[in-house]
Amino acid sequence: MSDRTTAWIQFGPWDAERLASTEDGCTFLKLLEEFGFDEQEVVHESDTDTLQCDVHEAQYGTCVFDEAGLVGRAQHLGLWCLQGDEGCGNWDWHYAVFSPVKRMDTYTCGAEGRVLLEQERFDALVSHLDDAGVVAAIRKYFTEGSKTLGEWISAEGERQGRS
């Protein structure tokens, strides 16, 4: 039997009416409907509506979303995604954030609920930095690892001069 765990995926900024006005959007909405989520809810966070979708017995966690191609389809429509699971067996809780054009970052959480920085990720973050830069990079990683999807979207809008 395979490992099963609770997994979730969020999409934002969420506007079902806008999506329903295009052929690609309608296809995406139908895919979400057919996927068979246990729960779906539109939530408002950081001035952004996001669609929260949960699966309580996901086979291998977020792999179910990868197999369905949900992230790629959402990115094509200009949506941000956050996906994660509670871990199971030999893997810890984790989540990954995707902007409409790329993967932003992946975060892993240990048994105490702390966001962990794996050695490979640490080396990639700090290989070109001095000591002060290393500390700043680690702080940024841990801070961003606790953001909601709405906060990611809002922060990117602020970075680009939008509010």
Side-chain angles (χ1 to χ4, degrees), residues 88-149:
C88 185
N90 62 354
W91 83 85
D92 286 326
W93 172 104
H94 76 282
Y95 74 82
V97 180
F98 301 85
S99 79
V101 293
K102 66 178 181 174
R103 182 182 195 128
M104 297 295 287
D105 224 328
T106 302
Y107 299 88
T108 303
C109 187
E112 299 84 28
R114 294 178 297 113
V115 176
L116 301 177
L117 192 56
E118 296 154 338
Q119 187 66 45
E120 184 178 314
R121 179 72 182 118
F122 174 81
D123 293 342
L125 272 175
V126 303
S127 63
H128 62 288
L129 301 173
D130 60 16
D131 288 345
V134 169
V135 172
I138 293 170
R139 284 187 178 138
K140 180 179 179 186
Y141 180 88
F142 282 91
T143 299
E144 292 187 348
S146 64
K147 282 184 186 175
T148 65
L149 183 60

Side-chain angles (χ1 to χ4, degrees), residues 29-124:
L29 291 171
K30 184 174 182 182
L31 179 67
L32 291 177
E33 183 180 319
E34 292 173 350
F35 185 88
F37 289 104
D38 295 312
E39 296 178 40
Q40 284 186 328
E41 177 185 12
V42 176
V43 296
H44 188 76
E45 54 185 31
S46 297
D47 295 325
T48 303
D49 284 339
T50 62
L51 178 66
Q52 168 81 33
C53 305
D54 300 325
V55 179
H56 298 301
E57 291 288 324
Q59 184 174 10
Y60 296 114
T62 57
C63 290
V64 296
F65 308 135
D66 299 336
E67 291 168 5
L70 292 175
V71 171
R73 289 174 184 268
Q75 286 177 303
H76 174 74
L77 291 166
L79 298 174
W80 284 67
C81 299
L82 182 149
Q83 69 176 17
D85 62 46
E86 294 182 357
C88 185
N90 62 354
W91 83 85
D92 286 326
W93 172 104
H94 76 282
Y95 74 82
V97 180
F98 301 85
S99 79
V101 293
K102 66 178 181 174
R103 182 182 195 128
M104 297 295 287
D105 224 328
T106 302
Y107 299 88
T108 303
C109 187
E112 299 84 28
R114 294 178 297 113
V115 176
L116 301 177
L117 192 56
E118 296 154 338
Q119 187 66 45
E120 184 178 314
R121 179 72 182 118
F122 174 81
D123 293 342

Side-chain angles (χ1 to χ4, degrees), residues 2-35:
S2 62
D3 291 329
R4 294 182 181 274
T5 186
T6 298
W8 62 90
I9 189 164
Q10 286 182 287
F11 305 98
W14 188 253
D15 184 343
E17 288 181 16
R18 181 186 64 82
L19 289 170
S21 70
T22 68
E23 185 176 335
D24 286 344
C26 286
T27 301
F28 181 68
L29 291 171
K30 184 174 182 182
L31 179 67
L32 291 177
E33 183 180 319
E34 292 173 350
F35 185 88

